[in-house]
């Protein structure tokens, strides 16, 4: 049985609802005006988050998009270029904020799985003419959402980041799901973040809080980010009410490995039935990308059949399905999903 209203929602890890413990913490949160730096719950969250990734400072933001954009705004100048993979969230799904807000453009690399090699980045930033934009920043996304929650390996990040540093670039990690990368690899968040000037991570994804993300970095960069946050209308007041569940989400981050186990169960269940449907090697964290073209029935029938059993899934085009695990789905829900596949087969 799913946890929420009998519905098992596999569309995204953003769909979790706050736990009773989180709701209680929201109701009881000590608050103050955070624009004056006087919300004790936010201050505690910022300290705990900075410590979790080994940075001196952090600023709480409403969304991951704002966290990424504050990093870009703080570390670039208008007219600069930012290097990232083609399918980066920061490039494709933030409504061109980098151009509209910070006046920068992206220089993209193919980046399958979110990965960029040292050679690729070296070639991309090898420029010496005044005709050309200044390339001033490299952005990693780890785990990489659109590739199906794939991990960018630490060793690759080390080698590629070194080349970027030699070229004078600053480095940001869009770590919306960095703790999924940690759970999958054993590399610590401090190690990943140690490669970058800034890292943002989301409380509202697999960590399971209702709202919020955080940007971590040096005191100077975070001070600059606070100005841009205010400029964008992100100066929030008695925001301890949302920082309180985020603190619980951060405290409980080790539970992400359970989501990975459920994703693996799901992937194996599908691959046992239809081997062409799932590339098991690509299932590294909490997402399973399914080629529904391998099923002998149309995707629409599957979506309808599952809906009839209270299972919600999302499609990525006519044949691809992305299934995401999180705190509010479990192994029983996987059984429920697979039973509908069996009925349609
Ligand atoms: C990798 C990545 N970065 C950033 C974001 C943006 O987060 P938000 O929706 O909180 O703006 C998302 C959201 O899905 C994401 O997947």
């Amino acid at each position: 049985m799913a946890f929420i209203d009998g519905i098992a929602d596999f569309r995204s890890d953003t769909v979790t609802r706050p736990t009773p413990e989180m709701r209680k913490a929201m109701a009881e949160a000590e608050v103050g005006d955070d624009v004056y730096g006087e919300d004790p719950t936010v201050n505690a969250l910022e300290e705990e988050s900075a410590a979790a990734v080994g940075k001196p400072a952090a600023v709480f933001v409403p969304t991951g998009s704002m966290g990424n954009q504050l990093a870009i705004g703080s570390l670039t100048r208008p007219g600069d270029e930012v290097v990232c993979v083609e399918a980066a969230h920061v490039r494709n799904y933030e409504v061109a904020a980098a151009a509209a807000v910070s006046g920068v453009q992206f220089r993209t690399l193919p980046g399958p799985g979110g990965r960029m090699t040292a050679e690729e980045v070296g070639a991309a930033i090898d420029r010496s003419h005044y005709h050309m934009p200044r390339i001033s920043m490299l952005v990693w996304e780890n785990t990489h959402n659109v590739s199906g929650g794939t991990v960018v390996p630490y060793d690759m990040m080390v080698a590629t980041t070194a080349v970027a540093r030699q070229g004078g670039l600053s480095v940001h990690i869009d770590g919306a799901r960095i703790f999924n990368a940690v759970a999958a690899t054993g590399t610590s968040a401090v190690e990943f973040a140690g490669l970058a000037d800034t890292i943002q991570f989301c409380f509202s994804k697999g960590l399971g809080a209702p709202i919020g993300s955080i940007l971590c970095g040096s005191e100077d960069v975070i001070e600059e980010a606070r100005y841009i946050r205010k400029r964008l209308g992100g100066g929030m007041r008695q925001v301890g009410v949302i920082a309180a569940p985020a603190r619980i989400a951060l405290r409980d981050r080790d539970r992400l490995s359970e989501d990975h186990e459920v994703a693996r169960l799901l992937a194996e269940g599908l691959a046992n039935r239809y081997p062409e449907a799932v590339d098991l090697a690509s299932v590294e964290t909490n997402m399973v990308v399914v080629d529904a073209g391998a099923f002998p029935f149309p995707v629409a029938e599957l979506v309808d059949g599952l809906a009839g059993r209270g299972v919600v899934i999302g499609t990525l085009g006519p044949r691809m399905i992305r299934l995401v695990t999180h705190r509010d789905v479990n192994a029983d829900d996987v059984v429920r999903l697979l039973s509908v596949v069996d009925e349609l087969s």
Side-chain angles (χ1 to χ4, degrees):
M1 202 50 194
F3 300 146
I4 307 294
D5 306 334
I7 301 286
D9 191 338
F10 285 93
R11 285 173 302 166
S12 172
D13 50 11
T14 57
V15 301
T16 57
R17 317 254 184 106
T19 61
E21 186 191 11
M22 287 178 178
R23 289 184 187 271
K24 184 165 184 291
M26 291 168 88
E28 294 174 358
E30 258 192 273
V31 296
D33 190 330
D34 182 49
V35 174
Y36 293 115
E38 290 173 4
D39 188 304
T41 311
V42 173
N43 293 343
L45 176 67
E46 290 180 344
E47 272 173 37
E48 289 158 4
S49 300
V53 298
K55 293 290 185 202
V59 57
F60 187 41
V61 286
T63 63
S65 301
M66 190 183 280
N68 286 337
Q69 296 307 322
L70 296 192
I72 290 174
S74 302
L75 294 168
T76 64
R77 291 185 298 194
D80 284 359
E81 269 187 354
V82 173
V83 177
C84 65
V85 300
E86 265 167 22
H89 193 283
V90 73
R91 175 197 179 222
N92 292 337
Y93 304 114
E94 298 182 12
V95 207
V101 175
S102 299
V104 299
Q105 63 188 22
F106 288 107
R107 181 163 179 77
T108 59
L109 296 171
R115 294 161 190 159
M116 296 178 275
T117 65
E119 292 71 29
E120 287 169 333
V121 168
I125 66 175
D126 182 18
R127 295 174 157 200
S128 54
H129 269 276
Y130 291 117
H131 306 78
M132 296 172 173
R134 214 170 54 117
I135 302 178
S136 62
M137 190 178 197
L138 176 74
V139 177
W140 292 106
E141 181 180 318
N142 205 2
T143 63
H144 188 236
N145 181 347
V146 169
S147 300
T150 47
V151 176
V152 184
Y154 179 67
D155 288 349
M156 168 176 274
M157 288 181 69
V158 170
T160 303
T161 301
V163 169
R165 293 287 188 201
Q166 279 159 20
L169 277 66
S170 57
V171 178
H172 170 64
I173 299 175
D174 175 356
R177 298 181 179 80
I178 195 66
F179 291 108
N180 292 93
V182 170
T185 59
T187 302
S188 71
V190 173
E191 286 171 290
F192 281 124
L195 300 171
D197 299 279
T198 49
I199 179 167
Q200 83 81 12
F201 65 86
C202 296
F203 304 108
S204 57
K205 309 250 161 21
L207 295 184
I211 312 170
S213 299
I214 200 143
L215 180 70
C216 306
S218 68
E219 300 278 2
D220 286 353
V221 174
I222 296 306
E223 180 66 7
E224 179 62 22
R226 283 188 194 280
Y227 277 101
I228 306 174
R229 182 183 69 166
K230 192 74 179 76
R231 182 179 298 142
L232 298 179
M236 301 179 286
R237 303 292 180 175
Q238 284 70 28
V239 75
V241 291
I242 59 172
R247 289 184 73 193
I248 294 170
L250 182 65
R251 181 200 69 196
D252 293 346
R253 59 191 179 275
D254 287 349
R255 60 152 297 285
L256 288 173
S257 53
E258 294 168 23
D259 298 347
H260 297 185
E261 282 164 25
V262 177
R264 173 103 338 234
L265 205 64
L266 179 53
E268 285 172 356
L270 289 168
N272 286 343
R273 289 159 172 83
Y274 298 102
E276 302 298 315
V278 181
D279 172 12
L280 285 176
S282 73
V283 182
E284 298 179 28
T285 58
N286 67 329
M287 299 186 190
V288 182
V289 175
V290 183
D291 180 357
F295 297 147
F297 44 80
V299 183
E301 262 183 44
L302 179 64
V303 172
D304 288 351
L306 288 169
R309 295 292 180 77
V311 179
V312 185
I313 63 167
T315 53
L316 296 173
R319 41 186 289 175
M320 302 310 283
I321 297 171
R322 188 188 70 159
L323 303 168
V324 186
T325 59
H326 49 78
R327 193 188 57 223
D328 291 348
V329 293
N330 60 24
D332 290 346
D333 298 321
V334 169
V335 171
R336 188 149 48 123
L337 187 153
L338 293 173
S339 71
V340 174
V341 171
D342 288 339
E343 279 165 26
L344 291 171
S345 295

